[in-house]
Amino acid sequence: MAAKVIRERLSGNEAIATAIRQINPDVMPAFPITPSTEIPQFVSSYVANGLVDTEFVPVESEHSAMSATIGASAAGARAMTATSSAGLAFMWEELHIASSDRLPIVLALVNRALSGPININADHSDGMGAKDCGWIQLYAESNQEAYDNMCMAFRISEKVMLPVMVCQDGFITSHAVQNINLLEDAAVKEFVGTYKPDQYLLNAKAPMAAGPYAVTQYYMEARRGVAQAMYDSKDTILAVSKEFGELSGREYGLFEEYCMDDAEYAIVIMGSAAGAAKDACDMLRAEGKKVGVIKIRVYRPFPAKELAEALKGVKVIAAMDRAESFSGNSGPMACELKAALYTAKMTPDVLSMIYGLGGRDITVEDMVKIYEDLMAGNLCCDEIPYRYVNVRE
């Protein structure tokens, strides 16, 4: 049964902070960095005003923020933090510790370009840089999805015992105000539930060693355990999303299919730019063109089999990355999509495209042009085997 809806107008950062207030985690260490700074700012004000009993820990760096979050989680607390860009890069060592120790931490990541040169605007280079750290990654198109993903994150994390990143695009959603449907506080608290684990790493009544030096005979088994948990997490993500859909009326899967039933030409994309792709799709559909969009929501674990199934019948695909992996071959998502199609013995043409780096605009007109290129078979690339959108060569 759907819960009562509270209609609001919030920025993406406010939406995330509202979900955090409703969840009321035990501990939140944080260090400010643009454009995620507002999230701990809001939470610290909630603490000061007595709206939550979260222990807010101001620390001296992002490395310390994740270290403190790991310590709190290891002690059996529901713990989380927030960061962006270089802050996530500074946490890199700790990200691996969190996943290898199987800690159910949640991180609100407001995606921002990495240096250099210094840039404070949106792209996915921070999240993509951490894609192999053993964290589940959820990406949002809108403020509504950012809020909803945060509401689901702890349920997923505490079930599979892996940390979760809740990602949204810096400034584009984090600071832009949109209409949003919130759930009542009580509904969110009941959905998320309490966290009182019987077993946790720093339980004095059941001492164990976790995270110290692993000799050759044990290291691979630790990594294999994380790999299995990541692979198995898809079922949990879908189950939690289904339950949340029954509560909120908003359905989520591993990705969203838009006009894909008979699509022959498709854009595959993540994050806020999916809206421009959908608008372009609507314009061309009105002209009778068989185009569609797949918006990836869950990037880790990568839904390879499911994407291949959704793309059956598609002749040409634009795989669009808001990050550069410098592989000399394609963007990071495009590379994984190509591997998924190859494994499924599917051979559509796939055009890898890099767009929106450092916050550069991508418009509906740009998306229309991409569809037109797909339909015309204009798939050639200059010098490197993938294409940049709106770049001065």
Side-chain angles (χ1 to χ4, degrees):
M1 181 178 179
K4 181 180 177 181
V5 170
I6 301 171
R7 300 189 185 281
E8 255 291 4
R9 294 177 299 279
L10 299 175
S11 70
N13 281 344
E14 289 177 298
I16 289 286
T18 299
I20 295 169
R21 177 184 59 75
Q22 293 174 319
I23 295 165
N24 191 16
D26 298 314
V27 182
M28 184 176 177
F31 186 84
I33 182 170
T34 302
S36 67
T37 299
E38 287 182 323
I39 296 173
Q41 179 184 342
F42 282 123
V43 175
S44 65
S45 70
Y46 299 153
V47 174
N49 294 329
L51 299 177
V52 296
D53 52 17
T54 302
E55 183 72 22
F56 184 82
V57 185
V59 293
E60 71 274 15
S61 73
E62 293 88 353
H63 188 281
S64 298
M66 183 52 67
S67 296
T69 307
I70 287 169
S73 183
R78 178 176 275 165
M80 68 165 300
T81 188
T83 197
S84 296
S85 183
L88 186 70
F90 198 13
M91 292 178 178
W92 196 80
E93 174 192 16
E94 305 303 310
L95 297 178
H96 283 275
I97 291 171
S99 61
S100 65
D101 282 355
R102 305 293 299 278
L103 297 174
I105 290 167
V106 171
L107 168 65
L109 177 63
V110 183
N111 294 114
R112 170 190 146 185
L114 283 168
S115 302
I118 294 173
N119 180 286
I120 65 168
N121 297 301
D123 69 32
H124 298 159
S125 55
D126 50 5
M128 292 298 103
K131 66 186 174 64
D132 298 327
C133 291
W135 285 61
I136 292 168
Q137 290 190 342
L138 309 178
Y139 281 79
E141 175 187 351
S142 64
N143 302 6
Q144 183 71 68
E145 290 186 12
Y147 169 81
D148 292 347
N149 285 342
M150 180 57 73
C151 289
M152 289 182 262
F154 276 109
R155 280 284 305 276
I156 295 166
S157 182
E158 290 163 8
K159 176 68 173 178
V160 303
M161 298 304 290
L162 284 178
V164 175
M165 289 185 195
V166 177
C167 307
Q168 64 167 320
D169 287 354
F171 293 105
I172 298 171
T173 62
S174 69
H175 285 63
V177 175
Q178 297 178 356
N179 292 330
I180 187 171
N181 292 331
L182 302 175
L183 299 175
E184 291 184 299
D185 292 358
V188 175
K189 288 184 185 299
E190 182 179 356
F191 175 79
V192 178
T194 58
Y195 180 62
K196 296 188 180 298
D198 294 327
Q199 297 180 349
Y200 48 93
L201 294 186
L202 300 182
N203 185 351
K205 297 179 180 178
M208 69 176 80
Y213 179 74
V215 295
T216 305
Q217 291 88 340
Y218 293 100
Y219 181 85
M220 280 188 68
E221 284 71 20
R223 308 302 278 184
R224 177 68 174 86
V226 173
Q228 189 67 52
M230 182 65 73
Y231 183 81
D232 293 341
S233 69
K234 283 192 282 191
D235 290 339
T236 296
I237 293 168
L238 290 172
V240 171
S241 299
K242 183 176 185 295
E243 187 178 338
F244 185 81
E246 293 168 353
L247 177 67
S248 67
R250 295 183 290 275
E251 297 183 7
Y252 292 100
L254 303 175
F255 50 83
E256 177 188 345
E257 298 180 55
Y258 190 82
C259 298
M260 286 299 298
D261 287 345
D262 63 345
E264 296 180 356
Y265 306 92
I267 287 175
V268 181
I269 197 166
M270 298 192 301
S272 60
K278 291 175 183 177
D279 286 346
C281 177
D282 290 341
M283 291 171 61
L284 293 173
R285 278 278 171 178
E287 299 174 5
K289 307 294 174 44
K290 293 184 176 182
V291 297
V293 179
I294 287 184
K295 181 192 71 183
I296 295 176
R297 171 187 173 235
V298 180
Y299 186 70
R300 282 290 181 269
F302 190 75
K305 292 180 181 178
E306 295 83 358
L307 281 170
E309 180 65 28
L311 289 164
K312 280 185 176 178
V314 175
K315 297 177 181 177
V316 191
I317 300 164
M320 301 193 62
D321 279 282
R322 199 164 200 154
E324 169 63 272
S325 64
F326 303 112
S327 69
N329 182 52
S330 68
M333 181 272 287
C335 183
E336 299 199 44
L337 180 62
K338 291 177 183 179
L341 297 171
Y342 178 84
T343 301
K345 296 180 170 54
M346 295 168 55
T347 56
D349 289 322
V350 179
L351 176 60
S352 173
M353 308 190 81
I354 307 295
Y355 76 97
L357 301 186
R360 182 159 297 185
D361 284 343
I362 181 88
T363 67
V364 175
E365 290 73 23
D366 293 327
M367 295 294 187
V368 169
K369 178 63 167 59
I370 290 167
Y371 276 124
E372 289 174 346
D373 283 351
L374 298 184
M375 291 183 287
N378 180 18
L379 309 180
C380 62
C381 302
D382 298 328
E383 296 186 6
I384 57 176
Y386 54 101
R387 187 183 298 177
Y388 269 67
V389 180
N390 292 338
V391 68
R392 296 186 294 275
E393 291 290 0

